[in-house]
RNA sequence: CGGGGUAUAGCUCAGUCUGGUAGAGCGUUGCGUUUGGGACGCAAAAGUCGGGGGUUCGAAUCCCUCUGCCCCGACCA
């Protein structure tokens, strides 16, 4: 590509509210322009990068035996009513009407459409297993789009859906997809982890998220330093402590804490550590209120709480009025001691081994010290309720957990029969009897990968693309071509030679001053650069510099070609 | 959905408190001088100050209202 024939649109200034690096750099490099909240136009430069990601994804999906197809982005309401998700998907579902007032949605995902396709197309177990995929624009009406392309409303996704007669067959394809994803993210030059994920309300047997590690990531993941265990924070199990509950030594004593409502305030006021306190949360259960007790320095894990039989899938805190009615006190002073018998007390594993602890007094402005389980407060059940923290033992028994931030770029999921059942997608088995198909689904956030890569690979000057994602692999910069025809000719010749070898090169023939040219090429992250100038021609060598190096070096043309493989 | 901001030239922003004929930098156009890390000079084009309503002799500025966008929070296969 000759830059004089391209539309490069770098800018120096970027809105003050573009907060994260990838958003700022994508705007500065002119890769994207915002059209409306969560909607972005991909410029020619941005699209080149997006296509590179697509290319790798497509190659590896094909290699893994998946078959590409394309489904409509607009989907009819009726299909979504069959699975119950027209209502259940909630506000993220963008609903639209056509001129006949027929209702549709802009697809946020394609389980309904693919399962409808499958039930019509697949008739025999001999057609299974099969794995269909597409690379398609999706729309989710996010409550709060942010971070540019990272959490946009419209985005590009690769989604695939596999169909099986047996769970074993599903497990095989799942493993193949796991491998394919590993290859994809490795080829894209990303530092990532596959982490165990919660299977959520859908159920299913297994799920992994592929997380690109970056401090700006929205997800927290826990990983072991002594094994390959990794899980997202929602899923990671907090093991039962190995210590026994200490023998009680203190008497239960009520103390005044007139204004101290938070654990930090209470602990500071009473001069004890938060670890010696028990925090009690009252939630709306399926039958009346439920108390959850955690150690003061720990945080509740909502997913784990949602799995308790006493609580709904998505638990919510009780209101102040409900708490007042049930306990006679307000949030901040609730404790397990002296709660009404009707309220089950579910205690986290770590809170359950505390002795002589501090807890709320169930009366405004008071707490207990010297509280002990069994003597002073009953335990209905002990459960894992908390988020793991840095330093916890790994659940697989090897090593210690650490917490990192990640950007979710891929997700593999053993769906099971939920959609096949709702849409009655069956094939006949070898006995001639209809069987529900079992499904897997596998997603990759293609557009999000572009932003994730920048989060991971940038410096003060701009983006450092991995080779596989770079819009061009090498930039040929020409200095003062107008003054010296030989320089222009040499640059043109090198550009032609690179192109003939199939090396994607960009010739910067815009006639800019050197500073502007270098700054642009660094900003847009071209991995290799060669400068052609009078000075270099005289020396008979090429002036080469890699994007991640700070010094140029003189090399011959043969060496350059070898370098670019 | 709750809370807080914000909307002025192509872009990034001043100006609003204290009402009086619209500003800067960058970018763009033309001419000239320049040419190894975002050059300089001269000249020029460019805004219904988000929309509507009101107050006033006079509104970017004050009041009402609508809309867009952003931030924090809750939410997120």
């Amino acid at each position: 590509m000759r830059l004089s024939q391209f539309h490069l649109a770098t800018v120096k200034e970027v809105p003050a509210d573009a907060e994260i690096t990838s958003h700022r750099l994508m705007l500065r490099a002119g890769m994207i322009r915002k059209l409306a909240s969560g909607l972005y136009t991909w410029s020619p430069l941005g699209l080149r990068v997006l296509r590179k990601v697509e290319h790798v994804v497509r190659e590896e999906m094909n290699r893994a035996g998946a078959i590409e197809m394309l489904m409509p982005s607009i989907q009819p309401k009726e299909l979504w009513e069959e699975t119950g998700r027209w209502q259940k998907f909630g506000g993220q579902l963008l609903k639209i009407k056509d001129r006949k007032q027929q209702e549709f949605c802009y697809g946020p995902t394609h389980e309904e459409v693919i399962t409808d396709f499958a039930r019509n197309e697949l008739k025999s177990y001999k057609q299974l297993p099969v794995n269909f995929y597409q690379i398609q624009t999706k729309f989710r009406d996010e409550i709060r789009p942010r971070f540019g392309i990272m959490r946009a409303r419209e985005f590009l996704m690769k989604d695939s859906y596999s169909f099986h007669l047996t769970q074993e067959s599903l497990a095989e394809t799942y493993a193949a997809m796991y491998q394919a994803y590993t290859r994809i993210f490795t080829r894209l030059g990303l530092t990532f982890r596959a982490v165990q994920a919660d299977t959520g309300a859908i159920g299913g047997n297994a799920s992994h998220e592929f997380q690109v590690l970056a401090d700006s990531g929205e997800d927290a993941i826990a990983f072991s330093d002594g094994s390959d265990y990794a899980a997202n924070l929602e899923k990671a199990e907090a093991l039962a402590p190995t210590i026994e509950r200490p023998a009680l030594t203190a008497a239960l004593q009520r103390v005044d804490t007139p204004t101290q409502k938070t654990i930090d305030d209470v602990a500071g006021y009473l001069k004890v550590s938060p670890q010696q306190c028990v925090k009690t949360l009252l939630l709306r259960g399926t039958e009346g209120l439920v108390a959850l007790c955690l150690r003061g320095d720990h945080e509740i894990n909502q997913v784990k709480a949602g799995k308790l039989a006493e609580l709904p899938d998505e638990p919510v805190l009780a209101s102040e009025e409900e708490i007042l009615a049930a306990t006679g006190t307000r949030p901040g002073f609730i404790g397990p001691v002296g709660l009404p018998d009707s309220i089950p007390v579910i205690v986290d594993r770590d809170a359950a081994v505390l002795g002589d602890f501090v807890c709320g007094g169930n009366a405004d402005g008071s707490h207990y010290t010297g509280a002990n389980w069994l003597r002073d407060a009953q335990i209905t059940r002990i459960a894992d309720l908390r988020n793991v923290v840095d330093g916890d033992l790994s659940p697989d028994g090897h090593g210690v957990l650490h917490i990192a931030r990640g950007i979710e770029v891929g997700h593999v999921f053993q769906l099971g029969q939920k959609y096949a059942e709702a849409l009655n997608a069956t094939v006949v088995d070898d006995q001639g009897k209809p069987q529900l198909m079992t499904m897997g689904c596998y997603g990759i956030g293609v557009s999000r990968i572009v932003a994730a890569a920048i989060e991971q690979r940038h410096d003060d000057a701009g983006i450092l693309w991995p080779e596989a994602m770079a819009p061009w692999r090498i930039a040929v910069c020409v200095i003062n071509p107008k003054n010296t025809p030989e320089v222009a000719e040499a640059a043109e010749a090198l550009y032609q030679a690179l192109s003939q070898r199939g090396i994607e090169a960009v010739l910067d023939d815009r006639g800019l001053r050197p500073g502007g040219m270098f700054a642009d090429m660094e900003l847009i992250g071209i991995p290799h650069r060669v400068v052609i100038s009078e000075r270099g021609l005289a020396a008979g060598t090429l002036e080469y510099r890699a994007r991640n190096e700070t010094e140029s070096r003189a090399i011959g043309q043969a060496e350059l070609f070898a370098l670019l493989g």
Side-chain angles (χ1 to χ4, degrees):
Chain A
M1 179 62 66
R2 290 175 174 79
L3 266 192
S4 62
Q5 307 297 311
F6 194 69
H7 178 73
L8 190 68
T10 57
V11 292
K12 290 179 184 167
E13 286 174 302
V14 118
D17 50 36
E19 296 213 320
I20 66 168
T21 306
S22 60
H23 189 193
R24 298 180 64 86
L25 286 177
M26 287 181 82
L27 288 171
R28 274 228 289 144
M31 293 176 64
I32 53 169
R33 297 284 187 240
K34 185 169 74 175
L35 180 64
S37 178
L39 303 178
Y40 290 86
T41 296
W42 289 81
S43 72
L45 179 72
L47 184 62
R48 287 188 72 93
V49 177
L50 196 62
R51 292 283 187 247
K52 293 294 174 74
V53 178
E54 268 186 51
H55 174 72
V56 171
V57 169
R58 193 170 268 124
E59 273 196 0
E60 293 300 333
M61 289 302 292
N62 292 342
R63 182 203 301 269
I67 312 167
E68 185 166 10
M69 62 184 295
L70 186 61
M71 291 175 264
S73 55
I74 308 282
Q75 309 179 10
K77 174 187 182 184
E78 288 70 25
L79 255 186
W80 283 72
E81 285 185 325
E82 280 195 68
T83 59
R85 290 210 293 179
W86 186 259
Q87 295 300 329
K88 205 183 164 197
F89 210 89
Q92 274 200 40
L93 194 62
L94 178 67
K95 298 173 178 174
I96 48 187
K97 285 182 188 169
D98 70 5
R99 65 172 75 204
K100 291 184 291 188
Q101 302 301 305
Q102 302 256 36
E103 292 192 90
F104 296 84
C105 64
Y106 197 111
T109 177
H110 281 72
E111 279 87 5
E112 278 79 2
V113 179
I114 192 69
T115 310
D116 177 63
F117 179 80
R119 70 179 165 183
N120 292 324
E121 301 287 326
L122 303 176
K123 299 297 179 193
S124 161
Y125 75 99
K126 292 178 183 172
Q127 293 170 290
L128 304 183
V130 65
N131 189 2
F132 297 112
Y133 80 96
Q134 66 171 348
I135 297 177
Q136 238 284 21
T137 297
K138 308 266 197 255
F139 189 96
R140 294 182 192 176
D141 200 355
E142 295 283 347
I143 296 170
R144 186 143 93 85
R146 62 186 125 177
F147 303 146
I149 227 72
M150 187 81 83
R151 182 174 285 277
R153 293 194 292 176
E154 185 177 296
F155 57 98
L156 191 64
M157 182 172 177
K158 186 286 301 176
D159 51 325
S160 42
Y161 307 90
S162 66
F163 294 87
H164 312 268
L165 193 62
T166 64
Q167 173 63 32
E168 292 69 35
S169 169
L170 169 59
E172 274 174 32
T173 297
Y174 184 86
M177 282 294 101
Y178 187 103
Q179 287 306 319
Y181 276 34
T182 301
R183 289 183 61 96
I184 287 167
F185 298 123
T186 303
R187 273 183 68 183
L188 289 173
L190 300 169
T191 304
F192 67 98
R193 285 250 184 185
V195 309
Q196 295 176 26
D198 184 72
T199 48
I202 294 176
N205 298 300
S207 176
H208 286 84
E209 292 169 355
F210 286 77
Q211 296 270 357
V212 165
L213 302 181
D215 290 340
S216 58
E218 291 188 90
D219 298 334
I221 61 179
F223 63 96
S224 170
D225 60 10
S227 72
D228 59 1
Y229 176 87
N232 70 20
L233 197 65
E234 293 174 349
K235 167 91 174 176
E237 182 183 3
L239 290 179
T242 50
I243 55 166
E244 297 283 313
R245 187 182 301 150
L248 53 87
T249 59
L252 185 68
Q253 191 175 357
R254 188 182 282 279
V255 294
D256 284 341
T257 49
T259 59
Q260 288 72 26
K261 298 174 108 176
T262 67
I263 290 288
D264 282 346
D265 288 348
V266 170
Y269 184 70
L270 297 176
K271 298 196 168 47
V272 298
S273 69
Q275 287 94 314
Q276 201 53 38
C277 300
V278 164
K279 92 169 105 181
T280 305
L281 306 171
L282 285 181
L283 291 90
R284 257 176 232 159
T286 44
E287 298 170 23
L289 297 186
V290 175
L292 302 184
C293 290
L294 293 141
R295 211 171 74 186
D297 58 324
H298 286 150
E299 279 183 8
I300 182 125
N301 180 312
Q302 301 237 5
V303 169
K304 291 176 181 175
K307 288 187 174 164
L308 296 172
E310 292 87 346
L311 290 174
D313 289 344
E314 290 175 13
V316 286
L317 287 170
S319 68
E320 190 163 328
E321 293 74 38
E322 288 170 295
I323 291 172
L324 196 58
T327 67
T329 186
R330 289 166 210 289
F333 303 107
I334 311 164
V337 179
L339 275 182
D341 291 342
S342 61
I343 300 180
V345 178
I346 302 172
V347 182
D348 180 68
R349 290 166 172 173
D350 283 270
V353 297
L354 289 178
D356 297 341
F357 56 81
V358 170
C359 65
N362 290 324
D364 284 5
S366 98
H367 276 75
Y368 285 115
T369 62
N372 281 280
W373 297 113
L374 306 183
R375 183 190 70 182
D376 308 318
Q378 296 312 303
I379 295 179
T380 307
R381 198 142 55 82
I382 295 173
D384 174 19
L385 297 177
R386 69 174 175 93
N387 286 333
V388 296
V389 295
D390 205 280
D392 279 346
L393 292 177
S394 177
D396 67 353
H398 301 287
V400 167
L401 291 181
H402 299 283
I403 309 290
R405 308 294 301 180
I407 300 163
E408 183 185 350
V409 292
H411 198 159
V412 293
F413 202 105
Q414 295 191 16
L415 267 184
Q417 298 186 321
K418 176 186 162 101
Y419 293 97
E421 198 172 354
L423 296 170
N424 193 32
T426 61
V427 292
V428 294
D429 63 14
D430 57 1
Q431 308 294 310
K433 292 199 177 126
Q435 298 285 349
L436 277 182
M437 289 186 278
T438 293
M439 294 172 61
C441 70
Y442 320 91
I444 287 182
V446 175
S447 46
R448 181 181 278 184
I449 284 174
V450 176
I454 297 172
E455 286 300 318
Q456 214 166 53
R457 303 175 52 120
H458 64 267
D459 63 14
D460 290 345
I463 301 164
L464 282 84
W465 290 119
E467 297 267 345
M469 287 175 69
W472 298 279
R473 294 189 61 206
I474 179 167
V476 179
C477 295
V478 204
I479 309 243
N480 277 329
K482 282 186 184 143
N483 293 3
T484 326
E486 295 80 17
V487 168
E489 286 160 20
E492 178 68 25
L494 177 61
Y495 171 66
Q496 295 286 351
L498 287 163
S499 301
Q500 274 166 23
R501 281 171 173 73
I503 297 165
E504 282 189 311
V506 61
L507 176 65
D508 195 342
D509 57 349
R510 295 175 296 171
L512 261 59
R513 302 166 68 84
M517 205 159 35
F518 298 156
D520 272 352
M521 293 305 105
E522 284 160 13
L523 175 61
I524 69 174
I526 311 302
H528 308 276
R529 182 185 82 192
V530 167
V531 180
I532 307 291
S533 67
E534 235 173 309
R535 185 202 291 175
L537 280 190
T541 55
L542 295 170
E543 184 180 328
Y544 168 84
R545 179 164 154 186
R547 177 65 181 81
N548 59 0
E549 290 169 359
T550 53
E551 297 293 329
S552 297
R553 53 192 159 109
I555 64 174
Q557 200 173 77
E559 194 184 345
L560 177 69
F561 293 153
L563 192 91
L564 296 168

